[in-house]
């Protein structure tokens, strides 16, 4: 089983940057797709970005494109989300998730890390 642990959240001002980390442990994830999602108060969880471990192919939600960058460090089994030019509407709990190669959905989730952006 894969365990995902997020870190790096916090309280920042609009325009600031943060880098979130997601450490994966328990088994090899080299064939997984890793994603970041977020959930703001009173809203449904939404997709933010994803990356394939094997090729590093990335995909972003339109709302973060050009501001956020997802990357991975294979040696550390860690996925990052670099968030620049943060806006108050980016305030949410950010979750790391993993989609196994045999699944069409994200089956594995971390507990989340809070990001709060003040105006």
């Amino acid at each position: 089983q894969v365990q995902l642990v997020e870190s790096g959240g916090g309280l920042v001002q609009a325009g600031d940057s943060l880098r979130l980390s997601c450490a994966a442990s328990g088994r090899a994830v080299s064939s997984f797709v890793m994603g970041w999602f977020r959930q703001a108060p009173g809203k449904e969880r939404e997709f933010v970005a994803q990356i394939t471990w094997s090729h590093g192919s990335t995909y972003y939600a339109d709302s973060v494109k050009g501001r956020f960058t997802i990357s991975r460090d294979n040696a550390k089994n860690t996925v990052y989300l670099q968030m620049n030019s943060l806006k108050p509407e980016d305030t949410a709990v950010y979750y790391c998730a993993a989609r196994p190669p045999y699944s069409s959905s994200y089956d594995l989730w971390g507990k989340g890390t809070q990001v709060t952006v003040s105006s």
Side-chain angles (χ1 to χ4, degrees):
Q1 184 69 298
V2 175
Q3 290 81 42
L4 305 174
V5 179
E6 304 96 333
S7 61
L11 172 62
V12 297
Q13 293 186 332
D16 286 350
S17 298
L18 271 179
R19 189 178 78 159
L20 305 183
S21 299
C22 172
S25 63
R27 59 170 287 187
V29 293
S30 58
S31 58
F32 284 40
V33 176
M34 302 298 294
W36 285 99
F37 291 75
R38 66 186 182 186
Q39 186 168 19
K43 296 187 177 181
E44 293 188 355
R45 187 157 53 190
E46 65 174 359
F47 169 81
V48 175
Q50 72 178 36
I51 188 168
T52 60
W53 272 110
S54 55
H55 299 99
S57 301
T58 59
Y59 183 76
Y60 298 92
D62 287 342
S63 58
V64 305
K65 201 173 295 182
R67 299 189 299 123
F68 291 11
T69 302
I70 189 171
S71 62
R72 88 273 193 236
D73 184 328
N74 290 351
K76 295 183 178 180
N77 251 19
T78 299
V79 175
Y80 303 99
L81 185 67
Q82 177 66 44
M83 305 185 294
N84 299 329
S85 302
L86 282 162
K87 305 175 181 179
E89 51 263 43
D90 294 318
T91 295
V93 177
Y94 283 71
Y95 297 91
C96 177
R99 189 177 81 204
Y102 51 80
S103 176
S104 60
S105 62
Y106 285 89
D107 296 336
L108 305 165
W109 294 84
K111 294 183 178 180
T113 185
Q114 176 71 47
V115 172
T116 303
V117 185
S118 64
S119 57

